[in-house]
């Protein structure tokens, strides 16, 4: 089976996330894309990230439309989410013949050198790096990288949060996610 890890804050998940995942699944024949929201640091009220359970529920709602998409709670409760640990957990849950790709946007991949155990992360998996307007990245020596350049989506969660807060219409959310946000009065 061909799997991909797709991690993020998903605060909130938006239509670029699912388009990126669908495009990667189509192009690289992935059977499964694991959407893994990052954990919330416990006992840290200063952290402005939306609580994990809300972000996870929105990921579930957005994943409902594609049978290849699977919400994952692998990072629940973790103070810091390290991709190094997440990859190890996914590998432990897979069988030896399974392939594991790491799906990531160009902006995030550009910073991978600063990650916890970066050198090991870079050699542990093959990367699918998706273009994002305004972001370029070097390919570190030894990394196995597949460039996915067929998308150029300007959508971001930060811009969506700004629009929600100022009461502007938002078209980049899945309808069920927008309903959830309204129902729970998030981002205002
Ligand atoms: P924020 O603005 O809060 O950083 P975001 O839109 O970047 O939110 P994240 O949860 O940070 O969303 O991103 C999760 C993953 O999805 C990252 O690998 C990121 O690069 C990728 N991603 C998000 N939006 C896009 C996009 N428009 N095009 C390509 N990749 C994207
Ligand atoms: Mg981001």
């Amino acid at each position: 089976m061909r799997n991909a890890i797709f991690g993020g804050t998903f605060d909130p998940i938006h239509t670029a996330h699912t388009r990126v995942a669908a495009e990667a699944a189509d192009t690289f024949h992935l059977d499964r894309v694991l959407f893994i929201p990052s954990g919330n640091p416990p006992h840290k009220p200063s952290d402005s990230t939306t609580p994990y359970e809300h972000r996870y529920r929105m990921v579930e709602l957005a994943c409902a439309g594609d049978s290849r998409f699977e919400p994952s709670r692998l990072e629940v409760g973790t103070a810091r989410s390290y991709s190094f640990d997440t990859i190890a957990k996914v590998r432990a849950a897979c069988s030896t013949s399974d392939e594991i790709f790491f799906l990531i946007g160009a902006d995030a991949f550009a910073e991978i050198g600063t990650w916890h155990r970066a050198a090991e992360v870079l050699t542990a998996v093959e990367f699918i790096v998706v273009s994002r307007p305004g972001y370029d990245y070097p390919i570190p020596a030894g990394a196995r990288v597949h460039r996915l350049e067929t998308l150029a989506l300007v959508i971001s969660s930060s811009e969506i949060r700004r629009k929600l807060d100022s009461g502007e219409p938002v078209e980049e959310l899945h309808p069920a996610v927008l309903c959830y946000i309204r129902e729970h009065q998030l981002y205002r």
Side-chain angles (χ1 to χ4, degrees), residues 24-174:
D26 291 345
T27 307
F28 298 98
H29 312 291
L30 305 174
D31 301 293
R32 186 167 76 134
V33 179
L34 288 169
F35 284 68
I36 311 181
S38 58
N40 272 97
H43 318 301
K44 209 175 155 212
S46 61
D47 183 70
S48 59
T49 308
T50 304
Y52 179 86
E53 293 303 335
H54 283 313
R55 291 183 290 113
Y56 180 79
R57 183 70 191 122
M58 293 188 281
V59 165
E60 271 191 330
L61 293 168
C63 284
D66 192 313
S67 59
R68 299 168 297 185
F69 296 173
E70 189 175 311
S72 164
R73 297 178 66 84
L74 269 181
E75 293 185 4
V76 67
T78 52
R80 292 284 279 279
S81 314
Y82 292 124
S83 296
F84 177 82
D85 301 327
T86 303
I87 292 166
K89 285 184 197 168
V90 171
R91 202 176 284 294
C94 282
S95 61
T96 45
S97 60
D98 282 349
E99 291 177 75
I100 301 170
F101 295 85
F102 198 101
L103 177 60
I104 185 169
D107 60 306
F109 189 75
E111 301 194 336
I112 205 161
T114 68
W115 288 12
H116 176 63
R117 305 183 77 162
E120 288 148 289
V121 171
L122 279 166
T123 52
V125 281
E126 290 181 41
F127 289 84
I128 300 170
V129 183
V130 186
S131 49
R132 194 169 183 180
Y135 295 96
D136 210 348
Y137 56 92
I139 298 183
R144 291 163 294 167
V145 171
H146 306 272
R147 291 171 170 269
L148 183 58
E149 316 237 88
T150 46
L151 296 176
L153 305 169
V154 291
I155 303 168
S156 72
S157 299
S158 22
E159 177 63 9
I160 290 171
R161 290 194 299 274
R162 190 198 61 73
K163 285 186 184 174
L164 288 166
D165 185 50
S166 64
E168 289 171 47
V170 182
E171 278 154 18
E172 304 87 359
L173 290 170
H174 305 81

